[in-house]
């Protein structure tokens, strides 16, 4: 690996670690801009653009410490990666939507777009932290620079973006990254079928299984038992981990795992996580 590639790998790691929501710098956009449907995750219906009744004048949540207990588990799962403060402080230059009502609708429409862009930045930055070939690195770097330039655009430009056109080349590069890293991690030492993309493993008992380097993109793992499973090098893009039992599982080198996926799962202090993922506070609460 060249010195330049090593430098880029460090940049990718730093960027991935820096993508953290700062709710103090946001105007409660996740509590206002998004549509909420009453379910096991949310106690109420709330249309997009309408503030949650629990949102206070200072944009803090009235029931923040009791969200899960009061039927708002979905709120504890959500993570914008910093898209909220980008929209609030950069795109709209710190203009409070309550004080600048003429900007409110546009701000609410920009927020979901910024969320998607930040998600792509997180994936690309993570891909840059791995040891892939130099050609792939250069392509990833070009995409990262393009995304960083895109999030700095004004609201009208952001609203006019073709998100499908942006996602397609990035998805292709992430697939290449996944294939290279997963192949390196097993190096022909397994006879297992590593392609489980889109698998329906809802409620399946996989306790203690060796699933290293498996492609679980878009898979359904709702309430599956993955306790003590070896999940190193597993590609989790788009996988549904709601109520998945990850107690004691090793996800330390899992690929493209998000904070939202982990927040939706069940785990404990023995669950091994990637360095950029925070251990959810509710994992420590007694059941």
């Amino acid at each position: 690996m060249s010195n330049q590639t090593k430098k880029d790998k460090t940049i990718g790691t730093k960027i991935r670690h820096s993508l953290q929501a700062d709710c103090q710098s946001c105007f409660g956009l996740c509590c206002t801009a998004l549509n909420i449907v009453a379910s096991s995750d949310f106690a109420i219906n709330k249309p997009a653009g309408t503030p949650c009744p629990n949102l206070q004048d200072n944009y803090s949540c009235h029931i923040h410490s009791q969200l899960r207990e009061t039927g708002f588990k979905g709120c504890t799962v959500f993570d914008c990666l910093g898209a909220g403060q980008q929209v609030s402080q950069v795109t709209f230059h710190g203009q409070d939507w309550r004080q600048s009502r003429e900007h409110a609708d546009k701000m609410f429409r920009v927020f979901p777009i910024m969320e998607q862009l930040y998600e792509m930045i997180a994936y690309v930055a993570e891909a840059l932290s791995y040891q892939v070939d130099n050609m792939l690195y250069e392509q990833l770097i070009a995409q990262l620079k393009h995304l960083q330039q895109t999030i700095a655009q004004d609201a009208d430009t952001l609203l006019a973006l073709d998100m499908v056109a942006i996602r397609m080349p990035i998805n292709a590069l992430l697939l290449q990254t996944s294939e290279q890293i997963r192949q390196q991690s097993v190096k022909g030492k397994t006879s297992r079928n590593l392609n489980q993309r889109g698998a329906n493993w809802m409620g399946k008992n996989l306790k203690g299984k060796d699933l290293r380097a498996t492609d679980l993109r878009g898979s359904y793992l709702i309430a599956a038992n993955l306790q003590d499973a070896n999940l190193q090098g597993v590609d989790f893009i788009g996988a549904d981990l709601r109520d998945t039992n990850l107690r004691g599982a090793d996800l330390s080198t899992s690929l493209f795992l998000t904070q939202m996926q982990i927040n939706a799962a069940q785990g404990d202090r023995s669950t091994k996580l990637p360095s950029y993922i925070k251990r959810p506070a509710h994992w420590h609460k007694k059941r």
Side-chain angles (χ1 to χ4, degrees):
M1 195 187 297
S2 67
N3 289 334
Q4 183 62 42
T5 300
K6 289 180 180 178
K7 180 181 178 181
D8 292 333
K9 180 176 179 179
T10 301
I11 291 173
T13 300
K14 289 181 177 179
I15 291 174
R16 185 62 189 86
H17 280 269
S18 72
L19 296 174
Q20 303 288 337
D22 178 9
C23 297
Q24 298 300 314
S25 299
C26 179
F27 301 130
L29 293 180
C30 64
C31 307
T32 308
L34 305 180
N35 181 61
I36 291 177
V37 178
S39 63
S40 60
D41 292 327
F42 296 102
I44 61 171
N45 286 307
K46 185 197 76 64
T50 300
C52 172
N54 297 310
L55 185 66
Q56 301 183 102
D57 290 342
N58 63 354
Y59 296 111
S60 64
C61 176
H62 178 63
I63 59 169
H64 185 265
S65 60
Q66 294 89 36
L67 284 167
R68 297 183 75 85
E69 294 81 2
T70 52
F72 289 86
K73 180 173 68 173
C75 297
T76 68
V77 171
F78 184 78
D79 177 32
C80 76
L81 295 169
Q85 63 256 30
Q86 177 73 17
V87 173
S88 298
Q89 303 301 327
V90 179
T91 312
F92 287 89
H93 311 289
Q95 296 179 92
D96 181 332
W97 57 264
R98 277 183 169 146
Q99 303 301 320
S100 303
R101 295 298 300 178
E102 68 274 17
H103 297 301
D105 178 65
K106 187 176 289 188
M107 185 180 291
F108 298 154
R109 287 187 290 125
V110 166
F111 178 58
I113 294 171
M114 191 68 75
E115 270 190 280
Q116 295 178 61
L117 293 170
Y118 264 70
E119 179 186 59
M120 286 185 269
I121 289 174
Y123 284 144
V124 173
E126 181 182 337
L128 280 167
S129 71
Y130 299 131
Q131 185 174 338
V132 297
D133 65 57
N134 288 337
M135 181 178 294
L136 179 53
Y137 252 100
E138 292 303 319
Q139 293 174 314
L140 287 166
I141 292 166
Q143 288 295 335
L144 178 63
K145 290 179 178 178
H146 176 65
L147 287 168
Q148 290 174 324
Q149 292 169 354
T150 301
I151 64 172
Q153 299 300 313
D154 61 36
D156 290 329
T157 301
L158 290 165
L159 289 171
L161 291 175
D162 183 341
M163 297 304 291
V164 174
I166 294 174
R167 278 188 179 277
M168 285 181 65
I170 291 174
N171 186 56
L173 295 179
L174 297 179
L175 278 168
Q176 291 181 52
T177 302
S178 175
E179 290 169 0
Q180 288 190 24
I181 299 306
R182 289 186 300 104
Q183 287 175 6
Q184 291 172 17
S185 66
V186 291
K187 296 181 180 178
K189 294 180 181 179
T190 181
S191 59
R192 292 183 291 107
N193 180 9
L194 300 181
N195 184 4
Q196 298 294 336
R197 194 177 302 175
N200 184 355
W201 288 357
M202 293 175 61
K204 189 170 183 177
N205 185 9
L206 298 161
K207 183 177 180 179
K209 294 291 186 180
D210 181 1
L211 296 172
R212 284 175 297 169
T214 302
D215 184 352
L216 286 175
R217 279 177 164 241
S219 58
Y220 297 92
L221 303 173
I222 301 170
N225 183 8
L226 292 171
Q227 184 171 352
D228 299 324
N230 189 336
L231 302 171
Q232 296 182 74
V234 171
D235 186 339
F236 278 111
I237 282 187
D240 193 334
L241 299 181
R242 284 178 291 169
D243 293 321
T244 305
N245 182 359
L246 298 176
R247 296 180 181 87
D250 187 352
L251 301 98
S252 57
T253 58
S254 295
L255 307 178
F256 307 123
L257 188 68
T258 69
Q259 188 68 53
M260 286 178 65
Q261 287 172 313
I262 287 298
N263 290 347
Q266 299 176 13
D268 58 19
R269 295 183 185 278
S270 64
T271 305
K272 297 180 180 178
L273 298 170
S275 60
Y276 58 87
I277 296 289
K278 295 180 179 178
R279 198 172 303 275
H282 61 266
W283 282 11
H284 307 313
K285 294 184 178 180
K286 294 182 179 180
R287 296 180 177 274

